[in-house]
């Protein structure tokens, strides 16, 4: 029988080992289709250095869509016992300053400063708030256990709560010559919001292998994994 002190140390070692088991370097690539036609390619990276993380997502249009310029999302922040805690987020589209979005997270003062077209809007920062780049990687640290998930998310234009429902667990998908067992979740879209669906690979740290988005104008986008590298 383990003594109480030994048991507590044992549990602590388990949690440390679990944290170290999570990847510190992730490279993902996706193809994006718009209404069934090739639209863009996405390259994403997640790196953890000590207790800090950095996420970068670069979307390049194909064909005539290349003229839109690269869409670059970056998120930096801390890795905590609760997962990712963003400090700074940026979205840049080509060379257009008007399309640049910036969010700064002041956790000490619980304020979220969002910059749109040079104007700053401040809201109360809620615990667990994520940005457009970080929220999918947060599933690595907090895999969905319940059938309903609520995410506090800033788009850098606004801060909103998004509700997702688990549609299926253990759903098998064949993608890029790989078979994945996935968790399928879908948001409860309301007027003016995009309808989003995600398929998270259960055995690959709940990384997203497929996205589907239907925008308010009825456009359908599907983002499918083509390459994955985890270490």
């Amino acid at each position: 029988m383990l003594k109480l002190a030994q048991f507590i140390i044992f549990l602590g070692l388990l949690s440390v080992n679990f944290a170290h088991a999570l990847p510190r370097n992730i490279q993902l690539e996706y193809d994006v289709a718009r209404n069934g036609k090739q639209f863009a390619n996405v390259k994403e990276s997640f790196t953890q250095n000590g207790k800090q993380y950095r996420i970068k997502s670069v979307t390049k249009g194909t064909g005539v869509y290349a003229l839109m310029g690269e869409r670059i999302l970056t998120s930096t922040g801390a890795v905590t016992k609760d997962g990712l805690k963003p400090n700074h987020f940026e979205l840049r589209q080509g060379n257009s300053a008007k399309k640049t979005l910036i969010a700064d997270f002041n956790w000490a003062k619980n304020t979220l400063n969002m910059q749109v077209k040079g104007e700053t809007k401040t809201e109360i920062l809620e615990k667990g708030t994520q940005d457009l780049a970080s929220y999918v990687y947060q599933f690595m640290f907090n895999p969905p256990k319940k059938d309903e998930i609520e995410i506090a998310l800033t788009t850098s234009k606004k801060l909103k709560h998004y509700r997702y429902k688990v549609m299926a667990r253990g759903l098998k998908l064949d993608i890029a010559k790989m078979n994945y067992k996935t968790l399928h979740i879908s948001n409860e879209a309301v007027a003016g919001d995009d309808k989003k669906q995600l398929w998270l690979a259960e055995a690959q740290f709940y990384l997203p292998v497929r996205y589907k988005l239907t925008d308010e104008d009825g456009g359908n986008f599907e983002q499918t994994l083509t390459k994955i590298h985890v270490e």
Side-chain angles (χ1 to χ4, degrees), residues 74-135:
T74 56
S75 173
T76 56
V79 179
T80 73
K81 62 181 180 61
D82 297 317
L84 302 182
K85 194 173 183 179
N87 290 325
H88 183 78
F89 169 80
E90 291 187 10
L91 184 156
R92 299 186 181 276
Q93 178 70 53
N95 296 318
S96 175
K98 292 182 178 180
K99 294 182 179 180
T100 297
L101 303 176
I102 297 174
D104 285 301
F105 299 70
N106 190 328
W107 295 102
K109 295 183 179 179
N110 291 325
T111 56
L112 175 66
N113 297 314
M114 297 173 286
Q115 295 182 41
V116 182
K117 296 181 180 179
E119 297 184 2
T120 300
K121 178 181 178 182
T122 301
E123 292 197 20
I124 295 174
L125 182 56
E126 301 179 33
K127 181 180 179 180
T129 299
Q130 300 295 321
D131 58 52
L132 287 174
S134 69
Y135 84 99

Side-chain angles (χ1 to χ4, degrees), residues 30 32 38-43 58-71 93:
Y30 298 89
V32 185
Q38 180 70 19
F39 174 72
N41 303 114
V42 179
K43 289 187 177 182
V58 180
T59 302
K60 294 182 179 181
T62 58
V64 295
Y65 299 112
L67 299 176
M68 298 170 63
E70 294 182 349
R71 180 176 183 263
Q93 178 70 53

Side-chain angles (χ1 to χ4, degrees), residues 88-191:
H88 183 78
F89 169 80
E90 291 187 10
L91 184 156
R92 299 186 181 276
Q93 178 70 53
N95 296 318
S96 175
K98 292 182 178 180
K99 294 182 179 180
T100 297
L101 303 176
I102 297 174
D104 285 301
F105 299 70
N106 190 328
W107 295 102
K109 295 183 179 179
N110 291 325
T111 56
L112 175 66
N113 297 314
M114 297 173 286
Q115 295 182 41
V116 182
K117 296 181 180 179
E119 297 184 2
T120 300
K121 178 181 178 182
T122 301
E123 292 197 20
I124 295 174
L125 182 56
E126 301 179 33
K127 181 180 179 180
T129 299
Q130 300 295 321
D131 58 52
L132 287 174
S134 69
Y135 84 99
V136 290
Y137 292 93
Q138 177 67 357
F139 291 123
M140 287 196 302
F141 300 88
N142 293 305
K145 296 181 178 66
K146 299 180 180 179
D147 289 338
E148 291 192 1
I149 309 153
E150 186 169 314
I151 301 172
L153 176 68
T154 176
T155 63
S156 295
K157 290 183 178 180
K158 55 188 176 182
L159 174 63
K160 288 189 64 175
H161 284 263
Y162 294 86
R163 293 182 182 273
Y164 284 82
K165 284 188 175 182
V166 173
M167 310 303 292
R169 296 180 185 271
L171 181 66
K172 292 184 178 180
L173 290 181
D174 290 317
I175 297 176
K177 299 180 180 180
M178 293 282 290
N179 184 265
Y180 296 96
K181 186 186 291 186
T182 65
L183 175 71
H184 177 201
I185 62 175
S186 177
N187 75 325
E188 297 179 353
V190 297

